[in-house]
Amino acid sequence: MSEQPNFSDLGNQIDLAAKLLARSTHTVVLAGAGMSKESGIRTFRGEGGLWTEHGEPPMNQFDSFTSDPHAWWERRLNEGRNDGFGRSIDGAQPNPGHFALAELERLGIVSHLITQNIDDLHRLAGQNSITEIHGNRHWLRCLDCELRWPRTQFVIDATELPPICSECGGLVKSDTVMFGEPIPATALRRCHEETALADCFLTIGTSALVYPAAQYPANALSRGVPLIDINPEPTPLTSVANVVIAGPSGKILPAVVNQIHNELDH
Ligand code: NAD
Ligand code: ZN
């Protein structure tokens, strides 16, 4: 069992974060699996994480897909995606952390969100400017031209597998980036451009161990951009961030937004 955060200790860090954010006009956010834990979706790492409990899965998913995409699609259509982790994502709703982050965008503070999450909860909470660096479970993507389609709008003919892109004839796969798969170039370019514009950087619920995502806060820091980290457990960011708020994002982010409203009212 994790201990409840001590909010009187956290108060100072929340104030500092609110001050930095209220001054910023181009905050870029990197969010990770921890952001969705309070929506009932397990993380991979950290306390209670799937990998913490069961160990890492094989890292060659993309090789298996490209070596026989027909077999991969046949399995997908026959067996569906009904593992427990997938079901938890399909039934999930945004938590107060997702809504608070969307509010920071409406306030003109957060300009762009780079999310490692594939669960679509940021969009459901009203966030608009998002790069899903590891894709989205509810979309499909062409491996060649990177065109994306909502899964429900793409008609798959089970007698003509694998599905092929109508624009360029490329191979279509699930948008979720598989282990071993290169991140789509358009997503990488956007992350790079937004990070270069950041005047404040906010990391939330990420173990900061997965690259290239973890490189963006490091790049911002190297330009002297202040870094705020929200995570109940220590990560490589804890020792380098300007402000560390050691609590769950579903409670911390709404508290930060309240404090920003206080700052802006004065
Ligand atoms: P991670 O699983 O490596 O680490 C999760 C981090 O969240 C840990 O550092 C943990 O301490 C922190 N955390 C736990 N509870 C929290 C809370 N309530 N508030 C804030 N932080 C909390 O996650 P990662 O860094 O995103 O990298 C893992 C990869 O797993 C990503 O590529 C992501 O695509 C994928 N993933 C996605 C989902 C999802 O879409 N919801 C879920 C699990 C994994
Ligand atoms: Zn294509």
Side-chain angles (χ1 to χ4, degrees):
M1 284 281 281
S2 62
E3 285 176 21
Q4 282 298 309
N6 179 340
F7 276 92
S8 61
D9 286 353
L10 293 176
N12 275 344
Q13 300 304 97
I14 289 172
D15 282 358
L16 283 171
K19 283 197 171 65
L20 284 172
L21 288 165
R23 274 206 299 267
S24 153
T25 56
H26 203 110
T27 291
V28 174
V29 182
L30 173 67
M35 183 88 217
S36 295
K37 187 167 172 182
E38 288 151 278
S39 293
I41 304 171
R42 290 177 74 176
T43 60
F44 283 173
R45 303 181 187 79
E47 189 184 303
L50 277 168
W51 295 359
T52 312
E53 208 163 285
H54 302 294
E56 289 194 10
M59 291 291 160
N60 61 352
Q61 283 181 347
F62 189 57
D63 279 353
S64 334
F65 175 81
T66 49
S67 63
D68 194 347
H70 181 280
W72 188 93
W73 270 107
E74 209 164 43
R75 263 197 318 277
R76 171 56 55 94
L77 295 183
N78 288 336
E79 296 165 15
R81 302 179 301 156
N82 277 334
D83 58 296
F85 180 65
R87 273 201 307 275
S88 74
I89 293 187
D90 291 342
Q93 291 300 319
N95 66 57
H98 293 104
F99 290 111
L101 195 58
E103 169 82 4
L104 288 178
E105 184 184 79
R106 276 192 297 278
L107 288 169
I109 293 171
V110 165
S111 294
H112 195 66
L113 164 65
I114 302 167
T115 187
Q116 299 168 90
N117 296 345
I118 57 167
D119 56 28
D120 217 21
L121 294 186
H122 293 290
R123 203 184 321 271
L124 277 176
Q127 198 94 29
N128 288 306
S129 184
I130 311 175
T131 299
E132 294 167 313
I133 189 169
H134 296 160
N136 184 314
R137 176 173 161 82
H138 306 297
W139 289 64
L140 301 176
R141 168 171 41 89
C142 168
L143 279 183
D144 287 352
C145 71
E146 298 186 2
L147 194 63
R148 297 164 83 229
W149 306 265
R151 193 176 276 275
T152 50
Q153 286 172 26
F154 192 100
V155 180
I156 297 175
D157 178 353
T159 62
E160 297 257 357
L161 295 177
I164 294 301
C165 173
S166 52
E167 290 298 312
C168 78
L171 195 55
V172 172
K173 72 174 276 294
S174 63
D175 185 41
T176 309
V177 174
M178 293 173 170
F179 298 119
E181 178 180 354
I183 310 250
T186 30
L188 286 181
R189 202 174 314 120
R190 185 82 199 270
C191 295
H192 187 78
E193 286 166 3
E194 291 291 338
T195 301
L197 293 172
D199 61 6
C200 183
F201 206 101
L202 174 61
T203 46
I204 312 168
T206 178
S207 57
L209 294 172
V210 180
Y211 281 79
Q215 123 200 345
Y216 301 116
N219 288 358
L221 265 177
S222 71
R223 281 198 297 116
V225 171
L227 173 65
I228 303 164
D229 183 47
I230 301 176
N231 194 320
E233 292 182 44
T235 74
L237 298 173
T238 314
S239 58
V240 294
N242 303 75
V243 180
V244 175
I245 314 182
S249 49
K251 295 214 162 59
I252 299 295
L253 280 167
V256 169
V257 168
N258 270 343
Q259 191 55 32
I260 288 175
H261 280 299
N262 291 341
E263 295 276 332
L264 297 177
D265 289 346
H266 284 114

